[in-house]
Amino acid sequence: MEAAELHPAQVIVRLGEARTVDLVGAGMTAQRRYDVRHSGTLRLAEAALEGVDLRGSALGTARNGAYVTSEIELDAHFWRVVGLYLAEGHASLAKCGTGRVAWSFHPHREDHLVEEVIGFWCRHGVEARTTRRETTHQVTVASRLVHAWWTRVLGLAGACHRQRLPDLVWDRPAGDKWALLSGLWEGDGSWSLINGGPSVILELGTVSRELADGVHRLLGELGIVASQRTGRTAKSTVDTYWLRIAGAQQVERCMALVPERDRPGVKASIALQAKRIKPTGYRTFGPGPAWARVTAAEPEDFRGQVYSLEVPGSHTIVTTKGLICQQCFPKDVSALKQLAGNSGYHFQLLNAVIEVNELQKRRVIGKLQKHLGSLVGKRVALLGLAFKPETDDMREASSLVLAARLLADGAAVSAYDPVAEDEARTLMPGVQFADGPLEAVEGADAVVLVTEWKEFAGLDWQAVRERMTGDLVVDGRNALDAAAVRAAGLAYDGVGTR
């Protein structure tokens, strides 16, 4: 209702005479109570005052349009209708407030799709009308409420060039995702034989770049690797984005994208392949994303917004054509060094950056030896293990180098990280993991801050001093309050400080 910008007084609720006959009718005139009880309808504002349970009711606007059931099950049939809309649909809102959601099919060859869309809405008590014209056979639902739910809640566009996948689909089970894709493919997709067969390829074309990228990513979540190319058909003023699925095993898994009437032929053709060769350009390692081989990189001039993104959790960004970019500075630096080497260029500044980064990981060992002497038999507590705070990413984490070196020098190592412990346990054998920072420093000769989690800055350093055997705190990130640490009777040593 909010999405449709309607006041509760503008929405009519159909409950049926059996449910309205016993309404109290608070605030209603006698005539109004009579009308409500005998018509089985009342306004939403009146229903709210009565505390009416709207489940099983139908909703409509005060002007006109189809009535919509208060509950629509988001089953596989629903998602297939959404897929057909992505391929063949459009939506509009007239100045008078009437909203329309429509599907346009071939005037004669796609009557089965017309019946499928009508059947879905009829099962939910929603009136859907059909109109057959010379060039199209159209299904239309005229409802301001359906239009608002379809475009503003689900996020479906009103025109093909702005179309996109609804956000809701990403949290749906695999069966619903396949249902959406099957509807989309039957509307805008095709299959064909490569060079006359028996190899089969599945293709989908759309003028919406956002939809193409979304479908590419959705296929990837289902374990299907598609290729993408961009082209412009004759007399077209916009680009078309083509997705292709190849490889016998992939096509077999994508049989839901092939119309039922064509599946026997596709299966028979694939069965004739004596030798199956996987599509080149990528490799899979069990479940999860596929690894693509980059064969070339072509720089292009660009003028526009440039974004620096910090993505919590995964630290990845899905970009155009389904490519996943990983945020990791050390890997980026190493990759840039490799590119420079391949071009015959000695990148002295970059090499210096890498050397300094590696030196910093080992400098803490020198500080510990300066204060403690030999590390044999000493106990060192590491606070924080992840590559950086607010993540469980252990790749290139300095704690890996530091813990390995301490253990090799004969020290006992205890550690605590609020997030990365599970991953760290698989990478740091020999380290004793604690449930909290105070437990980690129990009996320690020295404490090292490795990752600057916020909770470490607010530690009770007097409690830390009471738990420790020694008194050394090495601040590997210069993130602690040195005065507060020293006030607790501890010796503070930071990076680049004395």
Side-chain angles (χ1 to χ4, degrees), residues 134-295:
E134 184 177 349
T135 59
T136 184
H137 193 176
Q138 189 173 95
V139 180
T140 304
V141 175
S143 167
R144 187 170 178 177
L145 293 176
V146 170
H147 178 274
W149 177 58
W150 205 254
T151 59
R152 298 189 180 184
V153 179
L154 292 178
L156 295 163
C160 61
H161 63 279
R162 299 195 308 270
Q163 206 55 268
R164 62 187 295 273
L165 292 181
D167 292 338
L168 192 60
V169 75
W170 299 107
D171 297 323
R172 302 301 299 177
D176 290 346
K177 294 176 181 178
W178 278 115
L180 181 147
L181 290 171
S182 71
L184 175 59
W185 229 271
E186 187 149 6
D188 268 346
S190 64
W191 68 272
S192 59
L193 299 175
I194 301 176
N195 298 324
S199 298
V200 176
I201 188 170
L202 306 180
E203 290 186 288
L204 174 73
T206 176
V207 294
S208 169
R209 179 172 182 172
E210 188 173 2
L211 179 60
D213 287 345
V215 172
H216 209 146
R217 179 185 168 193
L218 189 62
L219 287 168
E221 286 201 359
L222 296 170
I224 302 299
V225 180
S227 63
Q228 186 180 141
R229 66 181 178 88
T230 305
R232 186 168 295 190
T233 58
K235 298 183 180 181
S236 176
T237 59
V238 296
D239 288 337
T240 298
Y241 304 93
W242 299 94
L243 295 178
R244 291 178 167 183
I245 300 173
Q249 291 182 346
Q250 290 208 132
V251 173
E252 285 177 336
R253 293 187 57 202
C254 294
M255 204 55 64
L257 309 185
V258 179
E260 288 189 20
R261 64 184 182 278
D262 296 335
R263 291 176 190 175
V266 173
K267 291 179 180 179
S269 183
I270 293 176
L272 295 176
Q273 289 187 239
K275 185 177 182 180
R276 296 189 174 188
I277 302 175
K278 293 182 178 180
T280 59
Y282 70 88
R283 181 177 297 177
T284 56
F285 300 91
W291 294 84
R293 183 176 68 244
V294 178
T295 58

Side-chain angles (χ1 to χ4, degrees), residues 252-454:
E252 285 177 336
R253 293 187 57 202
C254 294
M255 204 55 64
L257 309 185
V258 179
E260 288 189 20
R261 64 184 182 278
D262 296 335
R263 291 176 190 175
V266 173
K267 291 179 180 179
S269 183
I270 293 176
L272 295 176
Q273 289 187 239
K275 185 177 182 180
R276 296 189 174 188
I277 302 175
K278 293 182 178 180
T280 59
Y282 70 88
R283 181 177 297 177
T284 56
F285 300 91
W291 294 84
R293 183 176 68 244
V294 178
T295 58
E298 298 181 5
E300 296 182 0
D301 293 334
F302 173 77
R303 182 180 296 274
Q305 297 289 338
V306 178
Y307 300 93
S308 176
L309 302 178
E310 183 71 19
V311 182
S314 65
H315 305 284
T316 58
I317 305 169
V318 180
T319 64
T320 300
K321 300 187 179 180
L323 290 178
I324 299 175
C325 297
Q326 177 71 43
Q327 298 171 320
C328 187
F329 178 74
K331 288 183 176 293
D332 294 340
V333 173
S334 298
L336 189 57
K337 175 186 175 183
Q338 183 64 43
L339 288 173
N342 293 343
S343 302
Y345 177 70
H346 179 62
F347 208 148
Q348 186 173 355
L349 174 60
L350 205 58
N351 289 332
V353 170
I354 294 173
E355 290 174 4
V356 169
N357 286 342
E358 292 301 315
L359 179 62
Q360 288 297 105
K361 295 178 183 179
R362 292 167 173 79
R363 181 162 291 176
V364 171
I365 299 295
K367 290 181 176 291
L368 291 172
Q369 292 173 334
K370 181 183 72 172
H371 290 278
L372 304 178
S374 173
L375 298 179
V376 176
K378 298 296 192 296
R379 186 174 187 84
V380 179
L382 306 181
L383 297 183
L385 300 172
F387 167 64
K388 59 182 180 180
E390 309 301 331
T391 180
D392 62 352
D393 194 347
M394 289 293 296
R395 291 170 301 173
E396 304 290 339
S398 59
S399 61
L400 298 174
V401 176
L402 182 57
R405 179 66 184 274
L406 288 170
L407 292 171
D409 286 354
V413 180
S414 59
Y416 167 71
D417 189 285
V419 173
E421 180 181 335
D422 290 343
E423 178 68 15
R425 282 182 179 274
T426 66
L427 301 172
M428 304 171 73
V431 174
Q432 299 174 19
F433 293 90
D435 294 330
L438 293 181
E439 289 79 2
V441 304
E442 186 76 45
D445 295 285
V447 173
V448 179
L449 178 70
V450 183
T451 310
E452 62 274 31
W453 288 93
K454 292 180 180 179

